[in-house]
């Protein structure tokens, strides 16, 4: 098998068209749209990797420099993206070489203790130490069955449809406030807001334009925002059969949240409402007369990898006191392999190597699954992914690693 490690390298701006065409060809995307000929504003070419086969790009990968919320804190995060291997070069160790190069460079830089990605297929990334740590709710329901309970307080504010110039500054400020509480949320700088709000026929997959709404209190304070799309349709008997697809609903108060959903559920001509990327613990079900009518089909979303186990476990907070030794098995990044003493509580944490006997033995991908608080060690133990050495250690770790809010990442990359 060829060793591709030395053949991988970052691309230049002049090589971007070949790079993006190689990536789109492998994903099966059309070779149209913006940024086909020059890098997008988010692109970090110094963090790209490419394998050239003559003039053709046979493999691609990249990293975005992100900041992710973890329980009780935020951490710099390597957002892995653009990962493709041409069918002409598969099963030859190319992906393994790219993953190893990325993780080694991130670790050597010492800035990002965690990496994250969105997996095109489940089986790919587990062997490199990644694990699904946040899920999407996949919510859907029929609008005729989705009525708010009569006792729901929607406050005295109003919901206003606005253009993007009004929406963006208000949504930016509110998102910055709210994202620090939800593990898996990413910071959005100017370029990421541009990406988030960019609207075109290609981005909407040929669908209708995005609509934007703000919830505004009587004193003018914005306490919520929503973005969504309406797709009109009629049945063969001329009955309305439209679909409302929610992209994001955020609010800083329960009344603002309820008012935004009252507005969305009250749209005329819409038979179905969808919130595919919503959080798995979305509160809407608790506001409805019939919570069973709001159907969830959860699916894996953000995958996480602990690049530096000690730094990653030190970065987050723990709602219950923790004083344990984890024996971490990491076959891909040997610098993580070994025993780690973790001491933590709600105000801080510290982790370092130790020669003490372990309380738990865990593979690094299982530890990554639990890192954001959405997967319990008890569940992992039941699957044979965690071995309890000290009696009660699984219960203690499950309690300490938990978090009141389910992890959620509304930003794909």
């Amino acid at each position: 098998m060829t060793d591709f490690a030395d053949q991988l390298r970052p691309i230049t701006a002049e090589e971007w068209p070949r790079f993006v065409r190689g990536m789109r060809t492998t994903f099966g995307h059309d070779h149209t749209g913006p940024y086909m000929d020059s890098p997008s504003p988010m692109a970090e070419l110094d963090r790209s990797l490419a394998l050239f086969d003559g003039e053709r790009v046979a493999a691609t990968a990249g990293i975005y420099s992100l900041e992710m919320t973890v329980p009780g804190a935020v951490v710099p995060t390597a957002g892995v993206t653009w990962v493709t291997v041409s069918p002409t070069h598969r099963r030859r160790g190319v992906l393994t070489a790219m993953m190893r190069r990325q993780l080694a460079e991130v670790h050597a830089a010492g800035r990002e203790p965690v990496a994250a990605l969105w997996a095109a297929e489940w089986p790919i990334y587990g062997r490199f130490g990644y694990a699904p740590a946040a899920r999407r709710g996949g919510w859907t329901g029929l609008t005729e069955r989705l009525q708010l309970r009569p006792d729901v307080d929607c406050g005295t504010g109003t919901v206003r449809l606005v253009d993007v110039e009004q929406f963006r500054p208000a949504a930016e400020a509110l998102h910055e406030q709210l994202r620090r509480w939800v593990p898996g949320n990413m910071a959005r700088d100017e370029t990421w807001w541009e990406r988030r709000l960019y609207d075109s026929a290609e981005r909407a997959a040929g669908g209708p334009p995005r609509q934007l709404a703000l919830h505004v209190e009587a004193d003018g304070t914005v306490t919520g925002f929503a973005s969504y799309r309406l797709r009109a349709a009629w049945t063969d008997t001329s009955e309305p059969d439209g679909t409302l697809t929610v992209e994001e609903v955020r609010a800083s108060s329960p009344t603002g949240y309820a008012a935004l959903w009252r507005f969305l559920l009250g749209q005329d001509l819409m038979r179905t409402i969808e919130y595919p990327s919503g959080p798995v613990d979305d509160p809407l079900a608790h506001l409805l007369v019939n919570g069973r009518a709001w159907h969830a089909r959860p699916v894996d979303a953000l995958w996480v990898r602990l690049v530096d186990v000690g730094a990653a476990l030190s970065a987050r907070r723990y709602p219950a006191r923790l004083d344990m030794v984890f024996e971490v098995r990491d076959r891909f990044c040997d610098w993580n392999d070994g025993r780690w003493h973790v001491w933590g509580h709600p105000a801080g944490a510290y982790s370092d190597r130790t020669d003490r006997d372990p309380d738990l033995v865990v593979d690094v991908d299982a530890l990554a699954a639990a890192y954001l608080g959405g997967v319990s060690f008890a569940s992992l133990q039941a699957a044979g992914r965690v071995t309890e050495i000290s009696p009660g250690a699984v219960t203690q770790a499950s309690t300490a690693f938990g978090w009141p809010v389910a992890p959620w990442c509304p930003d794909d990359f």
Side-chain angles (χ1 to χ4, degrees):
M1 182 178 292
T2 304
D3 183 2
F4 292 101
D6 294 336
Q7 300 180 39
L8 296 167
R9 64 170 176 82
I11 65 166
T12 65
E14 292 72 23
E15 292 168 332
W16 173 261
R18 282 186 285 162
F19 182 88
V20 73
R21 282 171 173 79
M23 180 172 57
R24 283 180 169 246
T25 296
T26 303
F27 274 126
H29 295 164
D30 290 339
H31 294 175
T32 58
Y35 310 124
M36 285 298 299
D37 299 320
S38 59
S40 72
M42 294 89 64
E44 300 177 45
L45 298 191
D46 60 326
R47 308 196 77 179
S48 67
L49 286 175
L51 176 67
F52 284 81
D53 182 8
E55 291 297 307
R56 194 169 156 272
V57 175
T60 64
I63 289 177
Y64 292 126
S65 301
L66 305 176
E67 183 184 84
M68 179 174 67
T69 301
V70 300
V74 296
V75 297
T77 299
V80 176
T81 187
W82 305 341
V83 179
T84 68
V85 178
S86 170
T88 60
H89 286 68
R90 286 181 184 153
R91 311 295 183 263
R92 296 166 61 182
V94 177
L95 180 59
T96 299
M98 289 197 300
M99 293 290 103
R100 195 179 300 281
R101 169 84 169 263
Q102 281 189 328
L103 291 169
E105 290 182 350
V106 172
H107 180 255
R111 193 182 72 88
E112 297 156 325
V114 178
L117 56 79
W118 290 73
E121 294 181 281
W122 182 290
I124 297 174
Y125 293 100
R127 64 186 188 272
F128 308 123
Y130 289 88
R135 297 185 298 167
R136 293 172 287 182
W139 297 96
T140 186
L142 299 176
T143 53
E144 64 186 20
R145 301 186 62 203
L146 299 174
Q147 293 94 32
L148 298 187
R149 297 193 327 266
D151 62 330
V152 170
D153 183 5
C154 292
T156 59
T158 58
V159 176
R160 303 175 185 173
L161 285 172
V162 296
D163 57 28
V164 69
E165 288 75 20
Q166 294 173 284
F167 178 86
R168 178 167 167 173
E172 281 185 5
L174 200 55
H175 175 268
E176 182 60 21
Q177 171 190 343
L178 298 174
R179 62 105 176 173
R180 295 176 179 272
W181 173 241
V182 185
N185 268 209
M186 301 291 177
R188 295 175 184 167
D189 63 14
E190 182 177 349
T191 58
W192 280 94
W193 273 106
E194 289 287 345
R195 181 182 191 265
R196 182 80 186 178
L197 295 175
Y198 176 75
D199 204 10
S200 70
E202 180 196 35
R203 182 166 175 78
R210 176 184 292 114
Q211 302 201 36
L212 304 169
L214 296 176
H215 180 263
V216 184
E217 302 293 346
D219 64 359
T221 303
V222 175
T223 54
F225 68 85
S227 60
Y228 63 97
R229 300 180 190 272
L230 302 176
R231 185 184 295 274
W234 278 262
T235 67
D236 292 340
T237 57
S238 296
E239 294 294 328
D241 195 30
T243 299
L244 187 155
T245 300
V246 178
E247 294 181 339
E248 191 172 14
V249 179
R250 306 298 291 267
S252 59
S253 69
T255 53
Y257 187 80
L260 282 167
W261 275 110
R262 180 179 62 183
F263 166 77
L264 293 168
L265 296 174
Q267 297 283 326
D268 290 335
L269 308 179
M270 297 296 112
R271 184 170 186 267
T272 303
I273 186 166
E274 303 173 339
Y275 193 8
S277 62
V280 292
D281 61 349
D282 185 83
L284 177 59
H286 304 294
L287 300 176
L288 298 171
V289 173
N290 181 7
R292 188 179 294 176
W294 189 225
H295 307 292
R297 293 183 178 177
V299 66
D300 61 293
L302 192 71
W303 289 55
V304 166
R305 212 286 181 198
L306 305 189
V307 180
D308 184 325
V309 165
L313 295 178
S314 300
R316 60 156 288 171
R317 302 295 177 257
Y318 301 86
R321 287 189 175 272
L322 182 68
D323 186 355
M324 296 179 60
V325 174
F326 293 78
E327 183 172 313
V328 178
R329 295 174 175 172
D330 193 339
R331 300 167 184 84
F332 199 69
C333 297
D334 57 5
W335 58 79
N336 286 323
D337 208 66
R339 295 176 183 177
W340 295 87
H341 180 203
V342 186
W343 174 87
H345 58 75
Y350 181 73
S351 177
D352 201 359
R353 288 197 176 275
T354 183
D355 57 4
R356 284 175 41 183
D357 291 338
D359 298 297
L360 289 178
V361 179
V362 58
D363 287 339
V364 72
D365 58 328
L367 187 59
Y371 183 67
L372 296 184
V375 178
S376 76
F377 282 93
S379 176
L380 293 166
Q381 182 194 34
R385 305 301 308 283
V386 172
T387 301
E388 183 179 68
I389 306 299
S390 302
V394 165
T395 297
Q396 183 185 358
S398 296
T399 303
F401 272 74
W403 194 248
V405 180
W408 172 48
C409 184
D411 294 306
D412 58 8
F413 48 88

